[in-house]
């Protein structure tokens, strides 16, 4: 009788442990999927902000002979967009595992470069070149937007390369 109770107790312990293991596995899977969705959303936001910034740079290039006040507003818009990219990258560092931009980022470097010292046309061309490279690195021909299979490690590489290019161009 004692042996039978002991065997039943062992079976119940095993059943409880298996149920606990299954429940934990489900929760970990759900957390992993939520992290993946958050990273995809972040990639989309960065990609769209880069695209919008490129549009602003195109407007600056097309209207370089326009009213000075209009061009100045476009440069303010450009600074805001570059700051938005910096904010998104800072958010990525805080919320997405495996993202790390310890040497600042390309957008911050571009935003804090003096346009007057560098020259408007040269500045616009350099930032446009830098952002075009980033957009192309993130682009997926199949999806006609950012690549959904881009990993945090690949994203780190894109940002790191862009930051190094920004340092070369603006420092």
């Amino acid at each position: 009788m004692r042996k039978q109770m002991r065997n039943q107790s062992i079976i119940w312990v095993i059943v409880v442990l298996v149920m606990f293991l299954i429940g934990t596995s489900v929760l970990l899977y759900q957390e992993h999927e939520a992290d993946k969705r958050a990273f995809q959303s972040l990639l989309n936001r960065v990609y769209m902000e880069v695209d919008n910034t490129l549009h602003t740079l195109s407007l600056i290039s097309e209207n370089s002979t326009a009213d000075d006040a209009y061009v100045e507003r476009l440069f303010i818009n450009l600074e805001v967009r570059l700051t938005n990219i910096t904010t998104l990258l800072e958010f990525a560092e805080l919320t997405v595992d495996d993202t790390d931009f310890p040497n600042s980022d390309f957008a911050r470097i571009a935003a804090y470069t003096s346009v007057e010292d560098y020259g408007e046309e040269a500045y616009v061309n350099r930032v446009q070149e830098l952002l075009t490279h980033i957009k192309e690195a993130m682009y997926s021909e199949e999806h006609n937007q950012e690549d959904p299979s881009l990993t945090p490690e690949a994203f780190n590489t894109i940002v790191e390369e862009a930051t190094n290019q920004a340092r070369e161009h603006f420092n």
Side-chain angles (χ1 to χ4, degrees), residues 25-167:
S25 297
V26 168
L27 290 175
L28 287 173
Y29 176 77
Q30 288 173 342
E31 183 179 337
H32 174 72
E33 289 301 307
D35 288 346
K36 259 175 62 174
R37 283 190 304 277
F39 180 66
Q40 290 304 316
S41 176
L42 175 77
L43 280 180
N44 181 264
R45 294 289 309 259
V46 170
Y47 185 83
M48 294 308 296
E49 200 62 46
V50 166
D51 192 47
N52 291 336
T53 306
L54 282 167
H55 178 70
T56 300
L57 287 163
S58 294
L59 288 174
I60 291 171
S61 294
E62 293 167 4
N63 296 295
S64 60
T65 59
D67 178 26
D68 286 343
Y70 178 68
V71 174
E72 186 176 331
R73 284 193 307 269
L74 288 174
F75 271 103
I76 290 169
N77 188 336
L78 175 62
E79 185 178 346
V80 167
R81 293 202 178 281
L82 290 170
T83 302
N84 288 347
I85 293 171
T86 297
T87 302
L88 286 169
L89 293 176
E90 287 172 355
F91 182 74
E93 274 190 297
L94 295 174
T95 59
V96 178
D97 292 339
D98 302 324
T99 55
D100 185 30
F101 315 117
N103 300 323
S104 190
D105 67 77
F106 62 90
R108 178 175 286 133
I109 293 168
Y112 291 121
T113 297
S114 172
V115 176
E116 291 80 23
D117 292 345
Y118 202 78
E120 281 185 15
E121 187 176 336
Y123 176 82
V124 167
N125 289 337
R126 290 292 187 190
V127 175
Q128 203 163 21
E129 179 183 308
L130 180 68
L131 293 178
T132 299
H133 177 73
I134 292 166
K135 184 177 176 184
E136 288 171 356
M138 292 179 71
Y139 183 75
S140 167
E141 190 77 34
E142 179 182 336
H143 296 91
N144 202 26
Q145 61 183 30
E146 78 278 354
D147 186 358
S149 64
L150 197 65
T151 64
E153 293 81 12
F155 185 63
N156 280 348
T157 302
I158 292 168
V159 172
E160 187 177 324
E161 288 174 2
T163 302
N164 291 338
Q165 287 178 0
R167 275 202 184 83

